[in-house]
Amino acid sequence: GPALLFVKTGQGKEEGRRFYACSACRDRKACNFFQWEDEKVSQTRLAAREEYNRNHQPSFTHRQNVERYKNFVQLPLSKRRFCQECQQLLLPAEWEKHSDHQFLCDISTAQLKSPSQLLYPLENKKTNAQYLFAARSCQFLLNLLIDLGFRRVLCVGTPRLHELIQSKASQEDFRVRSLLLDIDFRYSQFYTEDEFCHYNMFNHYFFGGEAAHETCRQFLYEDNGERVIMVTDPPFGGLVEALASSFKKLMAMWKETGKEGHSNKEMPTFWIFPYFFESRILDFFPSFNMMDYQVDYDNHVLYKHGKTGRRQSPVRIFTNLTPSMIVLPVEEGYRFCTICQRYVSSGNQHCEICNSCTSKDGRRWKHCVLCKKCVKPSWFHCNNCNCCALQTHSCEKTDAGCFVCGRAGHKRSACPSLS
Ligand code: SAH
Ligand code: ZN
Ligand code: ZN
Ligand code: ZN
Ligand code: ZN
């Protein structure tokens, strides 16, 4: 899809010059597309780029993959193979071609219903950054959505939540439906065109064109009072402004389907993201609040939940729903603060001076009278910098704030929050 327009910052003669680069890959090694905004592109280069794109298409279209799936499920168990190298369901006629690849046999219906277990996670931080919800967090999210009365879930980059909903959808008394929007095209092998759209959330691009757009629009249309919520869990290295712009477009699609009924409402949304992006997210969505719930992942070693382990997940839910409605599990230590009217972490103490439960990371924060706010327990007030910081910080200051945390002294690439 379309590239994004960036601007060079820093010293040097190219400062301020604008250029286009790939929206989805934040690594020039994964996608080397680069073009100055004012550059004249020769016919040869254009042709070469088109040729490159043609050669990098997936081997089957979504439509073909749906047909293949139909054939696959008709096969007896003994003939159901999945090539681990190509990440592809194989039909018997194709075995030969993959004979020296690793493959799995006897693919069961249960396995077909949990593709996120079958496919390996694309962990590359600078592209897919696929970190899958731990079962506990995924189930918590689904129960919460059901308790809040939602019947449809637009899953943007949340394949595991989609999968949980889809696998329950065959049960008789389960009425929730979902549509997955994700850039990971491997999922097109398991879902129909009404269940999955190949989508780029950094530029709001539907690879399936107008038909896919229409699928999404239809899904957002709330007939018989079925309420819709969007749940998104983007790569944490992604640009917040690009994501916010796409989410606003999805919200606008929802609004357009609602006629006058939605006139001054916003599509209910859960944006799952680390707490240190709070101010960036609120810049774009002032109606959002950050919840204390710590979202856990299966394949993220650093982000494991646990009272004993020092490392706790920094990932939270940002939502435009009324905070008091987001009930967090008491058995995991969350409690309701009657003054703040929301559930908070057990360690999050209500500060009398700030008049709010101020901890962001679950630890008990302390109030600094000079800064007039609560700060991390490990911070001290520095008279040089005139603010609180780690005792080991260096006092030199630069003017521009970091794009991630807003603090001065470092660039986005060196942000301590991201490491
Ligand atoms: N926790 C979620 C997965 C989040 S990981 C779950 O368990 O369901 C981030 C997801 O966003 C991955 O599924 C990844 O494929 C998808 N993604 C990454 N870049 C994307 C892009 N540019 N557009 C759309 N989806 C993207
Ligand atoms: Zn293969
Ligand atoms: Zn305070
Ligand atoms: Zn201070
Ligand atoms: Zn920073």
Side-chain angles (χ1 to χ4, degrees):
L4 294 183
L5 185 57
F6 293 87
V7 61
K8 284 231 186 243
T9 57
Q11 281 92 50
K13 64 173 176 359
E14 281 179 337
E15 184 178 348
R17 197 161 170 203
R18 305 208 290 181
F19 63 96
Y20 292 100
C22 180
S23 62
C25 305
R26 294 166 293 283
D27 182 0
R28 291 283 300 283
K29 281 191 226 101
C31 175
N32 65 5
F33 182 83
F34 179 95
Q35 194 174 299
W36 293 114
E37 184 186 22
D38 50 9
E39 192 175 340
K40 283 266 176 295
V41 181
S42 71
Q43 283 304 317
T44 4
R45 238 184 86 196
L46 206 61
R49 173 59 62 180
E50 278 167 5
E51 164 87 14
Y52 178 92
N53 286 347
R54 265 195 305 279
N55 293 337
H56 286 78
Q57 295 296 316
S59 33
F60 298 105
T61 64
H62 193 167
R63 179 78 41 87
Q64 286 171 323
N65 275 336
V66 172
E67 278 308 307
R68 292 168 57 81
Y69 183 88
K70 282 191 199 148
N71 294 329
F72 191 89
V73 292
Q74 312 254 297
L75 296 169
L77 209 57
S78 61
K79 293 197 167 166
R80 292 191 191 172
R81 287 189 186 175
F82 174 76
C83 177
Q84 290 181 301
E85 251 170 271
C86 307
Q87 293 283 294
Q88 191 187 317
L89 297 171
L90 300 181
L91 298 171
E94 297 156 352
W95 289 0
E96 185 69 47
K97 262 201 313 202
H98 300 259
S99 57
D100 51 357
H101 293 174
Q102 293 249 19
F103 56 82
L104 295 173
C105 302
D106 301 341
I107 303 297
S108 66
T109 307
Q111 282 175 296
L112 291 174
K113 288 199 168 178
S114 359
S116 78
Q117 310 271 359
L118 196 59
L119 303 167
Y120 61 72
L122 305 173
E123 291 189 25
N124 183 332
K125 278 197 185 49
K126 295 199 163 165
T127 314
N128 282 70
Q130 206 157 49
Y131 294 108
L132 300 165
F133 294 135
R136 197 178 56 83
S137 283
C138 205
Q139 195 63 56
F140 163 77
L141 281 171
L142 180 55
N143 291 343
L144 180 61
L145 301 176
I146 293 172
D147 291 346
L148 289 168
F150 292 102
R151 287 287 170 272
R152 286 200 218 166
V153 186
L154 183 67
C155 292
V156 184
T158 54
R160 196 157 261 185
L161 179 63
H162 178 64
E163 175 177 310
L164 184 62
I165 296 171
Q166 293 291 314
S167 67
K168 295 203 174 179
S170 42
Q171 295 169 12
E172 236 179 59
D173 54 344
F174 190 82
R175 304 234 322 276
V176 183
R177 293 202 291 125
S178 62
L179 172 66
L180 174 64
L181 308 187
D182 201 287
I183 205 162
D184 186 352
F185 191 62
R186 298 174 306 169
Y187 282 99
S188 69
Q189 298 180 87
F190 305 91
Y191 299 122
T192 65
E193 287 156 298
D194 286 329
E195 295 162 344
F196 169 72
C197 297
H198 192 200
Y199 174 78
N200 183 350
M201 62 167 113
F202 289 110
N203 57 7
H204 187 62
Y205 183 72
F206 285 86
F207 293 77
E210 185 45 42
H213 233 105
E214 190 52 33
T215 300
C216 184
R217 212 173 281 130
Q218 286 291 328
F219 185 82
L220 296 177
Y221 177 74
E222 301 174 321
D223 42 280
N224 353 303
E226 293 194 330
R227 295 174 58 223
V228 185
I229 184 165
M230 167 162 71
V231 180
T232 183
D233 185 9
F236 305 150
L239 280 174
V240 172
E241 37 278 80
L243 292 168
S245 146
S246 297
F247 301 154
K248 283 188 196 266
K249 283 173 186 156
L250 289 169
M251 288 169 156
M253 268 171 96
W254 172 82
K255 206 165 201 167
E256 282 156 20
T257 64
K259 307 206 180 68
E260 62 282 346
H262 289 156
S263 51
N264 39 35
K265 289 203 214 107
E266 210 171 61
M267 171 162 65
T269 300
F270 282 176
W271 179 344
I272 297 166
F273 227 48
Y275 69 81
F276 38 79
F277 282 98
E278 183 183 25
S279 65
R280 299 291 294 137
I281 291 184
L282 297 193
D283 282 347
F284 293 96
F285 294 105
S287 62
F288 281 28
N289 284 292
M290 186 175 87
M291 302 294 101
D292 270 18
Y293 184 76
Q294 302 194 358
V295 180
D296 285 332
Y297 295 83
D298 259 356
N299 55 334
H300 216 305
V301 277
L302 291 179
Y303 297 171
K304 282 275 161 64
H305 174 87
K307 288 261 175 319
T308 45
R310 205 194 69 82
R311 275 284 181 182
Q312 300 220 328
S313 170
V315 184
R316 304 288 183 267
I317 301 169
F318 294 85
T319 183
N320 50 6
L321 298 175
T322 312
S324 62
M325 298 192 336
I326 313 295
V327 180
L328 304 186
V330 175
E331 56 295 358
E332 286 176 37
Y334 299 99
R335 62 177 176 85
F336 191 72
C337 173
T338 47
I339 307 169
C340 297
Q341 283 290 302
R342 68 177 182 102
Y343 281 81
V344 294
S345 295
S346 53
N348 195 353
Q349 295 275 329
H350 192 86
C351 170
E352 301 284 328
I353 307 165
C354 298
N355 194 27
S356 117
C357 289
T358 44
S359 169
K360 305 291 181 192
D361 60 11
R363 293 179 296 168
R364 183 178 183 165
W365 284 24
K366 58 181 187 190
H367 192 87
C368 171
V369 279
L370 296 169
C371 289
K372 297 194 178 66
K373 65 177 182 188
C374 284
V375 297
K376 291 187 178 180
S378 52
W379 286 13
F380 294 90
H381 194 84
C382 169
N383 288 322
N384 246 339
C385 298
N386 203 20
C387 69
C388 280
L390 274 175
Q391 207 137 43
T392 52
H393 77 290
S394 56
C395 288
E396 50 201 78
K397 277 204 169 182
T398 60
D399 294 337
C402 161
F403 277 121
V404 176
C405 67
R407 273 181 275 137
H410 61 265
K411 287 243 180 93
R412 163 195 183 78
S413 54
C415 180
S417 296
L418 275 187
S419 68

